[in-house]
Amino acid sequence: MVLVNEIVSNICSVISVIFYSIVYYPQFYEMYKTKCADGISIWMLLLWSQADLLSLYSTIFLGLQINLVIIGWYHAFVGLLMTLCTLYYESIDISDRRGNLEKIKMKLVFIIFYFINLTIGIFLTIKTPYNIYIGSVIAWITSILYILGRFPQIKLNIERRSTEGLSMLMYVFTICGNSFYFLTVITYSTEISYILLNLPWLIMSIITISMDLFVIYQSYSYKRLTTLNYFEN
């Protein structure tokens, strides 16, 4: 007999996956519309992408369902695509050829690093190793990277005193995805062993939701400041 808490948890899980799956699309549209990637931190994307790949590794090592492995690959692919789009739009401006050349060289190193990660992911997917200890350690590292990935974007916003070019809808989707994932865990079971197993994701969800709300607050504050300066002048 299926319990009510399992039904609620499954519903929250589906909603969470939907939000996670579309999280980057508002930013894709923003960059396509403005033909510019100045508003988004490439370091944030690289840390998020690395976290997506480590999350995939963790899913494999923990022996989770194949549908979760497929979702992990989807996130890794979309993260790579977002990084490539950002690099493309950053390279359009050729006003400083030397500076652009250095940027391209630096970012090519990261792209190569990304493909090395993909190769590892393919190998693990084929071999499907199971090691709960390695999977748990990777889960903690993944959570830390998701948290650290917020700092470069917050720093960039402060330096620019603007969030122009950064889609707030992307952050809304991220907050919704993390919120429903949090509900997925706590509605399924409150047993200590289950909570401890999911602890890295629960901690990550709470911290990243708080940081994403701060980015939205930055957007509101900078837009309000711009409006006030406009009327004062």
Side-chain angles (χ1 to χ4, degrees):
M1 181 178 178
V2 180
L3 301 176
V4 174
N5 64 312
E6 291 182 9
I7 295 174
V8 174
S9 178
N10 288 334
I11 292 172
C12 290
S13 176
V14 170
I15 296 173
S16 174
V17 168
I18 291 172
F19 278 115
Y20 282 145
S21 299
I22 61 175
V23 68
Y24 282 124
Y25 290 106
Q27 188 60 43
F28 277 122
Y29 176 72
E30 184 71 25
M31 289 193 295
Y32 173 77
K33 182 176 68 175
T34 61
K35 300 295 187 291
C36 178
D38 291 344
I40 190 166
S41 169
I42 187 66
W43 292 101
M44 178 194 75
L45 288 177
L46 289 168
L47 285 170
W48 279 15
S49 297
Q50 182 63 74
D52 285 340
L53 284 160
L54 286 176
S55 179
L56 169 64
Y57 302 167
S58 177
T59 300
I60 296 170
F61 275 113
L62 292 174
L64 301 182
Q65 299 96 321
I66 187 63
N67 61 314
L68 294 178
V69 176
I70 293 171
I71 290 170
W73 271 111
Y74 169 78
H75 289 162
F77 172 75
V78 175
L80 171 61
L81 191 60
M82 173 58 70
T83 305
L84 290 174
C85 285
T86 303
L87 294 175
Y88 168 74
Y89 283 115
E90 281 193 353
S91 65
I92 289 178
D93 180 12
I94 57 172
S95 57
D96 180 2
R97 291 182 179 275
R98 181 175 298 179
N100 266 303
L101 185 59
E102 291 302 316
K103 283 183 179 181
I104 291 170
K105 286 181 179 179
M106 179 188 71
K107 290 165 187 174
L108 279 175
V109 172
F110 285 106
I111 294 299
I112 293 170
F113 179 69
Y114 200 107
F115 277 107
I116 291 173
N117 273 277
L118 288 177
T119 303
I120 295 172
I122 293 170
F123 174 79
L124 293 177
T125 303
I126 294 172
K127 294 294 182 180
T128 58
Y130 174 78
N131 191 311
I132 191 169
Y133 300 107
I134 294 177
S136 298
V137 170
I138 293 176
W140 278 106
I141 296 172
T142 301
S143 298
I144 292 170
L145 286 178
Y146 275 128
I147 293 169
L148 292 178
R150 266 65 181 179
F151 286 104
Q153 187 62 56
I154 291 174
K155 180 175 179 290
L156 179 64
N157 295 342
I158 293 172
E159 290 173 348
R160 297 174 69 235
R161 297 186 66 80
S162 171
T163 57
E164 186 178 354
L166 183 65
S167 173
M168 288 301 106
L169 193 55
M170 177 177 70
Y171 281 88
V172 171
F173 287 169
T174 305
I175 290 169
C176 290
N178 285 328
S179 298
F180 278 103
Y181 180 81
F182 186 87
L183 291 173
T184 298
V185 175
I186 64 173
T187 56
Y188 184 81
S189 175
T190 54
E191 292 183 4
I192 297 299
S193 58
Y194 182 75
I195 295 297
L196 288 175
L197 181 64
N198 290 276
L199 191 59
W201 309 114
L202 293 175
I203 293 174
M204 178 211 67
S205 295
I206 294 171
I207 295 176
T208 55
I209 287 171
S210 301
M211 298 180 76
D212 291 343
L213 285 172
F214 179 73
V215 171
I216 293 175
Y217 169 75
Q218 281 185 311
S219 177
Y220 167 77
S221 297
Y222 292 139
K223 285 179 180 178
R224 184 170 180 271
L225 183 62
T226 300
T227 302
L228 289 173
N229 289 337
Y230 174 79
F231 283 110
E232 287 177 0
N233 294 331

